[in-house]
Amino acid sequence: MRSLKNVVWGRLVAPAFFLFVAVQPARVYADSQEAMLQTTGALCAQGLYLTYTSVGTLADGFVKKVYDKDTTGQYLQSYVQIIKNIKEQLNKLQQSGAIQGEDVAFMAKVVDTYDLLAAEANAFQSYLTSGGQANIDVYDGKRKAAWKNIQEILGLNE
């Protein structure tokens, strides 16, 4: 005859224990997935903010003659290339299916903002090459639109 302890273990505790062990890896995976998504979001926000300030600081430096036309152009080319590389990675991430729900809209806003920053940098590059108020107007318009998105992404009120 089996003891009460064996009956309790066999019928009650063992199934609960095995269920807990089976569910635990899924919870750990979900927690690590959430941490990865939150980290990705934070890095995206940081990248947008730093790119925005970098292009603006470069423009200010050029106007104040801290940077000459060639140096400014080289920096702008680097910024545009970095933006292109980041967008390629973000597009791969979107296509992977790793981003779901409300994160899809967030990532679309991030990519849109990088597009605005690239257009801002390209307008500045065009200004360096050929001058013209139209290039300054495009630069300023893209800059303002990018800042509006960045404020929204970062939750800044200004």
Side-chain angles (χ1 to χ4, degrees), residues 7-147:
V7 171
V8 169
W9 172 256
R11 292 194 177 170
L12 300 175
V13 176
F17 174 77
F18 291 119
L19 180 63
F20 176 77
V21 170
V23 171
Q24 196 65 10
R27 195 181 99 221
V28 169
Y29 174 77
D31 290 348
S32 65
Q33 186 74 3
E34 183 66 22
M36 189 169 30
L37 289 172
Q38 288 177 353
T39 302
T40 299
L43 291 171
C44 285
Q46 177 194 38
L48 291 171
Y49 187 82
L50 292 177
T51 303
Y52 174 85
T53 58
S54 294
V55 174
T57 301
L58 183 61
D60 291 344
F62 176 73
V63 169
K64 299 285 186 183
K65 300 187 185 332
V66 174
Y67 302 112
D68 63 23
K69 186 189 273 189
D70 290 337
T71 302
T72 302
Q74 289 171 358
Y75 278 123
L76 282 171
Q77 286 176 353
S78 295
Y79 295 158
V80 170
Q81 186 60 50
I82 290 167
I83 290 169
K84 180 183 174 201
N85 294 344
I86 290 170
K87 282 186 52 193
E88 286 175 6
Q89 286 304 123
L90 294 176
N91 287 329
K92 286 178 187 177
L93 182 61
Q94 286 176 307
Q95 293 166 0
S96 75
I99 298 175
Q100 305 282 322
E102 65 188 28
D103 295 332
V104 172
F106 173 83
M107 194 56 64
K109 177 74 97 181
V110 168
V111 170
D112 179 56
T113 306
Y114 272 119
D115 285 338
L116 291 168
L117 292 169
E120 173 191 351
N122 285 325
F124 187 24
Q125 185 73 275
S126 294
Y127 174 75
L128 290 175
T129 304
S130 59
Q133 184 63 41
N135 291 318
I136 293 173
D137 293 343
V138 170
Y139 166 86
D140 191 51
K142 300 299 182 183
R143 185 164 178 77
K144 287 177 181 173
W147 181 243

